[in-house]
Amino acid sequence: MAYWQIKNVALRGVTGTVPNHSVPTEEFPFFTKEEAETFNSTVGIKSRYIAPEGICASDLCQDAAERLLAGLGWEKESIDVLLFTSVTGDYKTPPTSAILQHRMGLPPTTFVLDIPMGCCGCIYSFTVAGNLLTSGTAKRALLLVGDTTMRMGSPKDKSRGPLFGDSGTAMALEYDPEAADIHIDFNTMGSGYKALMTPHGGYRHPVTPESFKYEDFGNGIIRTPKDALINGMDVFSFAITKPPISVKKMMEQLGLDKDKDVDFFLIHQANKLIVDRLVKKLKLPTEKVPYNLQEFGNLGGASILMLMVSEIAEELSSKPLTLVCSAFGLGLTWGTMVLRTKPMTVLPLNKI
């Protein structure tokens, strides 16, 4: 277990942005009406926002970041750290965080970093930014987490296409010696990397003419080697076994009672089947586990931050909270984070 106890870092604000185009499950051409109804009731994702051509994750994140800075009244010159957490950057090179530094007019002294860690991206961002701020050398950080993952897969792949949505989120962190500690547990099982991957397009398997040839794997799974894939059973087995162990260990280590000490459990919104199983295995109070996948789908690394924006904004902005966050995905990686927050700025969701 990789464990961090991050001191002197406070959460100041959060917001999110989505495209102005929502697609209900019934509109996917590979679903019959009955299949769409079954998908909605079992997987739980009834609609998702999809970005049009020309809108990237960086655009959605920039909108969220600009609004958050304005809402907090922070001068751009005060930003010391900018992290862009995404698997759908603008280019292979240069890093999109550098491009965003320029587009947003942040000072040249800003430390920038791209973190392409998928569904665990939010917790990775907290770990990196928290460790950069904890000594007080850097004072303020922006965490931008978002993806346009719909484009990564095949439009003919029934196993993947309906699961994901596009979004951008922004969170502001600040050095504060009075802040409660942030606790983070991380784990990696690289042997399972093939469960979630894009086979062609990197330097191990560059794009060739073969990369564009569709293959029918049966059961409505039609994709090319350049398309992202999900080995559903492998992912499901991983998601319902490893993350609950991490959550349980972290809560035992901190002496947290799930009924008395925790206000909300923010679980990565992979799909309803997985989240429901985690709730059951951990015996969590259902009223403390918000869902938003029915509207947004799987948002990858932005999932936990979007839960804050869409489901617990009033509570976050009005009173102290103890949050237990669980994420899992690419790598395979999984982690648990415990946040003790004070009232912060939570701006409403924006659509562009």
Side-chain angles (χ1 to χ4, degrees), residues 188-227:
T188 305
M189 187 177 69
S191 60
Y193 76 95
K194 290 184 178 180
L196 293 159
M197 70 178 302
T198 306
H200 287 196
Y203 295 100
R204 179 67 62 187
H205 293 286
V207 170
T208 67
E210 296 295 321
S211 303
F212 295 89
K213 293 183 178 179
Y214 279 98
E215 184 175 353
D216 189 340
F217 295 87
N219 298 318
I221 303 173
I222 304 172
R223 61 172 180 260
T224 73
K226 69 175 179 56
D227 295 320

Side-chain angles (χ1 to χ4, degrees), residues 18-21 50-63 88-91 96 99-100 103 147-148 150-151 166 352:
V18 294
N20 196 27
H21 178 54
I50 299 179
E53 290 297 324
I55 297 294
C56 294
S58 63
D59 302 311
L60 300 172
C61 285
Q62 182 178 351
D63 178 82
T88 53
D90 287 12
Y91 307 98
T96 305
I99 298 172
L100 283 165
R103 281 168 37 184
D147 279 298
T148 49
M150 286 295 292
R151 292 182 193 148
D166 299 338
I352 62 172

Side-chain angles (χ1 to χ4, degrees), residues 18-248:
V18 294
N20 196 27
H21 178 54
S22 179
V23 177
T25 301
E26 291 76 12
E27 289 190 9
F28 284 100
F30 44 64
F31 276 142
T32 65
K33 180 180 179 181
E34 292 74 19
E35 287 174 330
E37 290 174 352
T38 300
F39 183 90
N40 286 344
S41 62
T42 57
V43 180
I45 299 170
K46 299 180 179 180
S47 64
R48 69 286 293 149
Y49 293 94
I50 299 179
E53 290 297 324
I55 297 294
C56 294
S58 63
D59 302 311
L60 300 172
C61 285
Q62 182 178 351
D63 178 82
E66 298 276 11
R67 292 187 297 107
L68 186 57
L69 287 175
L72 290 168
W74 283 10
E75 296 294 331
K76 292 185 176 181
E77 290 73 20
S78 71
I79 302 302
D80 301 305
V81 175
L82 174 70
L83 305 184
F84 177 67
T85 302
S86 179
V87 294
T88 53
D90 287 12
Y91 307 98
K92 281 191 173 181
T93 59
T96 305
S97 53
I99 298 172
L100 283 165
Q101 176 270 335
H102 167 68
R103 281 168 37 184
M104 292 180 62
L106 302 182
T109 51
T110 306
F111 176 92
V112 300
L113 182 67
D114 280 22
I115 304 177
M117 290 308 299
C119 299
C120 276
C122 172
I123 299 182
Y124 270 96
S125 294
F126 268 90
T127 306
V128 173
N131 279 291
L132 288 170
L133 296 181
T134 188
S135 69
T137 302
K139 302 293 186 184
R140 287 177 171 173
L142 281 179
L143 277 55
L144 308 186
V145 187
D147 279 298
T148 49
T149 48
M150 286 295 292
R151 292 182 193 148
M152 294 176 62
S154 164
K156 302 178 182 181
D157 188 349
K158 188 186 293 188
S159 70
R160 184 191 183 280
L163 297 177
F164 292 89
D166 299 338
S167 73
T169 60
M171 173 164 274
L173 303 184
E174 187 171 33
Y175 173 75
D176 180 357
E178 303 300 319
D181 294 351
I182 300 172
H183 300 269
I184 299 175
D185 158 51
F186 255 123
N187 303 268
T188 305
M189 187 177 69
S191 60
Y193 76 95
K194 290 184 178 180
L196 293 159
M197 70 178 302
T198 306
H200 287 196
Y203 295 100
R204 179 67 62 187
H205 293 286
V207 170
T208 67
E210 296 295 321
S211 303
F212 295 89
K213 293 183 178 179
Y214 279 98
E215 184 175 353
D216 189 340
F217 295 87
N219 298 318
I221 303 173
I222 304 172
R223 61 172 180 260
T224 73
K226 69 175 179 56
D227 295 320
L229 64 84
I230 296 177
N231 289 320
M233 292 307 298
D234 290 346
V235 173
F236 184 81
S237 176
F238 154 70
I240 66 171
T241 54
K242 300 296 187 181
I245 295 172
S246 173
V247 172
K248 187 176 180 180

Side-chain angles (χ1 to χ4, degrees), residues 270-285:
N271 64 56
K272 187 175 184 294
L273 294 168
I274 289 175
V275 179
D276 285 353
R277 185 66 68 90
L278 295 183
V279 170
K280 185 176 181 179
K281 290 193 75 167
L282 289 165
K283 299 179 180 178
L284 302 180

